[in-house]
């Protein structure tokens, strides 16, 4: 645990020191975020530097060689896959900046890129863990799905990554909720020993500590009012980290509960789109994802972040309690 704390503090130091330089560099590149016209209440944020996800990605790149070895294949897959998603996000952000609009990569390009990475992760995982083990929340029961775990992994990675991306809509929201999620999943990984043996537990906890430390450094500059946005570079990276760490520690189903606010972001968008098409123009929510609906209702960004974090903590407590008895 001492080394885990060292990793966290090291990542925080790296991110906090690098952040001003990265933000300054992004400003020189004029890498400002273009705000969609219909998000009129965010127009004052137009031009804020984006692609700030590098602030918490670089500490992972710097520290990974220290704790990763060729004998830790699962952890290596997590890091490589997450960097792959970050690359897709970077390309999306870069195109938005160059074209001065919010379109970025085309939908089919994102699907091909994300789907390709998710498929490779699923294949590698099954090769390493053919039993396809996954833990059922609340019941402390391990279910061996065999090769059927592969399509589930594919779905979880794509759904989680894009749900985190959708949650990245106001200052500090995606970063703070992800930080809390990772802290709780780290506690759960430490507690499941009496139910199941998590492979590469030390490496997974070190990885979590590094991301948490990096996020703390990033949030110094991302909480309201933000000096930098993480962009798709950061949100796709975080979504992939959440998905792969949870899956590889046999906690894939825990995402639905612990990541409930990410789930709500996606569900509200899907409900809104389906209802809009069916009724030819009517809406269920004032605006989606759900945090924008709350903003339209008059909630401050700080209140929304606090609410999302509180609900995540409660969900985490519900998952932890059965593991204590």
């Amino acid at each position: 645990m001492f080394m885990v704390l060292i990793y966290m503090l090291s990542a925080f130091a790296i991110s906090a020191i690098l952040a001003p330089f990265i933000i300054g560099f992004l400003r020189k590149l004029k890498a400002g975020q273009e705000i969609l016209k219909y998000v009129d209440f965010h127009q004052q944020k137009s031009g804020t530097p984006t692609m700030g996800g590098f602030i918490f990605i670089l500490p992972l790149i710097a520290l990974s060689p220290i704790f990763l070895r060729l004998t830790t294949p699962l952890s290596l897959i997590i890091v490589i896959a997450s960097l792959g998603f970050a690359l897709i996000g970077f390309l999306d952000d870069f195109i938005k900046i160059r074209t001065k609009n919010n379109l970025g990569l085309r939908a089919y390009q994102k699907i091909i890129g994300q789907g390709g990475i998710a498929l490779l992760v699923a294949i590698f995982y099954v090769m390493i863990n053919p039993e396809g083990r996954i833990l059922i929340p609340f019941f402390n029961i391990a279910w061996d799905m065999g090769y059927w775990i592969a399509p589930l992994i594919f779905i979880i990675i794509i759904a989680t990554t894009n749900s985190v991306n959708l949650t990245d809509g106001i200052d500090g929201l995606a970063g703070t909720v992800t930080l809390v999620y990772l802290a709780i999943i780290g506690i759960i990984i430490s507690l499941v020993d009496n139910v199941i043996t998590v492979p590469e537990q030390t490496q997974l906890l070190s990885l979590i500590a590094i991301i948490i430390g990096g996020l703390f450094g990033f949030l110094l500059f991302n909480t309201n009012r933000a000096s930098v946005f993480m962009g798709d570079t950061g949100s796709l990276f975080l979504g992939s980290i959440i998905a792969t760490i949870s899956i590889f520690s046999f906690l894939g189903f825990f995402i639905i509960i612990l990541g409930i606010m990410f789930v709500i972001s996606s569900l509200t968008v899907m409900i809104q789109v389906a209802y809009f098409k069916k009724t030819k123009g009517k809406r269920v929510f004032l605006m989606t994802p759900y945090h924008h609906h709350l903003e339209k209702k008059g909630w401050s960004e700080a209140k929304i972040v606090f609410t999302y974090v509180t609900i995540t903590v409660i969900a985490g407590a519900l998952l932890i309690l059965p593991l204590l008895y």
Side-chain angles (χ1 to χ4, degrees):
M1 290 303 295
F2 175 74
M3 287 306 301
V4 169
L5 180 60
I6 293 297
Y7 284 133
M8 184 185 301
L9 293 175
S10 299
F12 170 74
I14 294 171
S15 62
I17 291 169
L18 288 180
F21 297 99
I22 292 174
I23 294 171
F25 180 70
L26 292 172
R27 284 176 178 159
K28 286 183 180 180
L29 290 179
K30 297 182 179 180
Q33 177 73 51
E34 293 292 324
I35 304 298
L36 295 171
K37 292 182 179 180
Y38 60 81
V39 192
D40 53 348
F41 44 87
H42 281 186
Q43 289 306 312
Q44 75 277 10
K45 299 182 181 182
S46 184
T48 301
T50 187
M51 293 195 293
F54 283 113
I55 294 171
F56 50 80
I57 292 173
L58 290 178
L60 176 64
I61 295 174
L63 296 172
S64 287
I66 299 174
F67 76 95
L68 288 181
R69 300 288 184 273
L70 293 177
T71 54
T72 58
L74 294 181
S75 300
L76 282 168
I77 292 170
I78 291 172
V79 172
I80 293 171
S82 298
L83 292 177
F85 273 96
L87 177 60
I88 295 172
F90 168 75
L91 293 174
D92 195 37
D93 288 333
F94 183 76
I95 293 171
K96 291 175 184 176
I97 292 166
R98 286 294 299 271
T99 58
K100 300 297 181 183
N101 62 49
N102 236 325
L103 296 178
L105 290 172
R106 297 180 182 275
Y108 78 88
Q109 293 171 324
K110 293 180 183 179
I111 291 171
I112 292 173
Q114 294 180 12
I117 296 172
L119 180 60
L120 288 174
V121 172
I123 292 172
F124 281 126
Y125 180 80
V126 170
M127 290 172 61
I128 295 169
N129 288 301
E131 71 275 7
R133 187 160 297 167
I134 194 164
L135 199 64
I136 308 300
F138 304 119
F139 295 100
N140 296 343
I141 299 173
W143 177 20
D144 289 347
M145 294 184 64
Y147 292 129
W148 288 106
I149 194 73
L152 179 63
I153 288 174
F154 181 89
I155 293 169
I156 289 175
I157 291 175
I158 297 298
T160 304
T161 302
N162 287 285
S163 294
V164 174
N165 180 246
L166 287 172
T167 308
D168 180 33
I170 65 176
D171 295 350
L173 184 61
T176 306
V177 176
T178 298
L179 189 155
V180 173
Y181 180 103
L182 290 173
I184 294 173
I185 210 71
I187 294 171
I188 293 173
I189 289 172
S190 301
L191 291 175
V192 295
D193 280 346
N194 59 333
V195 180
I196 197 171
T197 300
V198 176
E200 302 178 25
Q201 184 186 65
T202 301
Q203 284 73 26
L204 288 177
L205 293 177
S206 298
L207 178 57
I208 289 171
I210 290 170
I211 303 302
I212 288 176
L215 280 171
F216 270 122
F218 171 74
L219 288 170
L220 290 175
F221 303 89
N222 181 245
T223 48
N224 193 263
R225 183 178 176 182
S227 302
V228 66
F229 298 144
M230 69 172 66
D232 284 1
T233 305
S235 61
L236 293 183
F237 170 83
L238 292 179
S240 175
I241 280 286
I242 284 175
T244 49
I245 286 178
S246 299
I247 290 167
F248 290 179
S249 54
F250 308 131
L251 303 172
F253 286 150
F254 283 59
I255 297 175
I256 301 172
I257 300 160
L258 184 56
I260 183 62
M261 302 318 298
F262 299 134
V263 174
I264 287 174
S265 292
S266 286
L267 282 179
T268 52
V269 170
M270 290 188 288
I271 291 170
Q272 185 89 317
V273 171
Y275 190 76
F276 185 88
K277 290 181 177 179
K278 185 175 182 180
T279 60
K280 297 181 179 179
K282 293 183 179 180
R283 292 175 170 83
V284 177
F285 306 98
L286 296 177
M287 189 175 176
T288 57
Y290 190 62
H291 52 265
H292 286 324
H293 171 80
L294 296 176
E295 283 189 290
K296 288 281 190 179
K297 285 285 190 178
W299 286 40
S300 68
E301 295 190 30
K303 183 177 180 180
I304 294 170
V305 172
F306 178 79
T307 302
Y308 273 48
V309 167
T310 300
I311 293 173
T312 302
V313 170
I314 292 171
L318 293 175
L319 290 169
I320 290 171
L321 283 174
L323 296 171
L324 298 175
Y325 301 100

